[in-house]
Amino acid sequence: MNNNSLCRTPASIPSPEAPTQEVVAFVKYCREVNKDFIIGCDANAHHTLWGSTDINNRGECLLEFLSSNNIEIANRGNEPRFINAIREEVLDLTLCSPVISEKIQNWHVSDEASLSDHRHIIFEWVGGLVSQVAYRDPRKTNCDQYASELESKSLTARITSAQQLESASKVLNQTIVSTYNSYCPLKRVTSTRNVPWWNRRLERLRKMTRKLYNRAKITSDWTQYRRALTEYSKELERSKRKSWVHNCESIGSTPIVARLNKTLAKDHSNGLGTLKKDDGSFTKSPTE
């Protein structure tokens, strides 16, 4: 769950320092159904406990809420997460349940240009081993060599009894499987982080923006960095929009759309994530 202003409470809540109703309800729900959670937020609250330069009322209120609900702060160090030409401060927090806190490693603030005054926060999740999925694609089988190899191993002995037939059947089955495995190589599913909208121009602009950002931290002159950041942001948005239009235009045939609809309609084993309904409650099953 991402709450952009954890302590900027609507007028319906009496105390302006309290967390929002959505956050309170979300934490309460997770406790009721025994679910772990991670909240990434711009808390808009100061406290030296998470590295701020001072303590304000919102910070004290937030700390009290975290303590009373046994919520851990995954932040490490006091490097500023909010930086502009006027000030630097620690406002962004990564909050989680105790079980999640034990599995978060390498939490740090990235030097990557974030296109805003708030910097990217990166951490690693070590919740468990991810098993690779191995499979064989029959269409990739070398059919000619498979048939030739299988023919050379065909049985020639005469079968005169039921016992010999059973034995020959087992040998034939093992021969077919082993020959198939030899000429249909095993493949493993691999993932790629490539995205269709990324290009060399964006790579160049990102490097320049990062360079000017590091220079601005030293010289306190943010003019060139702001200009480069604006150009990078516009080019990023333009490239994403162009890629999306191209993707929509490419889905022009019924079979592709039908396959997509069939995939989305499957009852996946991992289920849906928690969603908030119109009445304020949260979903409890894939059907909802």
Side-chain angles (χ1 to χ4, degrees), residues 210-226:
R210 183 186 302 172
K211 181 179 179 180
L212 293 175
Y213 171 75
N214 293 331
R215 182 186 300 174
K217 288 195 298 183
I218 299 175
T219 62
S220 298
D221 183 3
W222 298 84
T223 305
Q224 292 184 340
Y225 165 71
R226 293 287 186 189

Side-chain angles (χ1 to χ4, degrees), residues 98-113:
V99 175
I100 297 292
S101 178
E102 298 174 358
K103 299 177 181 180
I104 290 180
Q105 295 183 358
N106 194 26
W107 191 100
H108 63 281
V109 181
S110 173
D111 287 332
E112 179 70 30

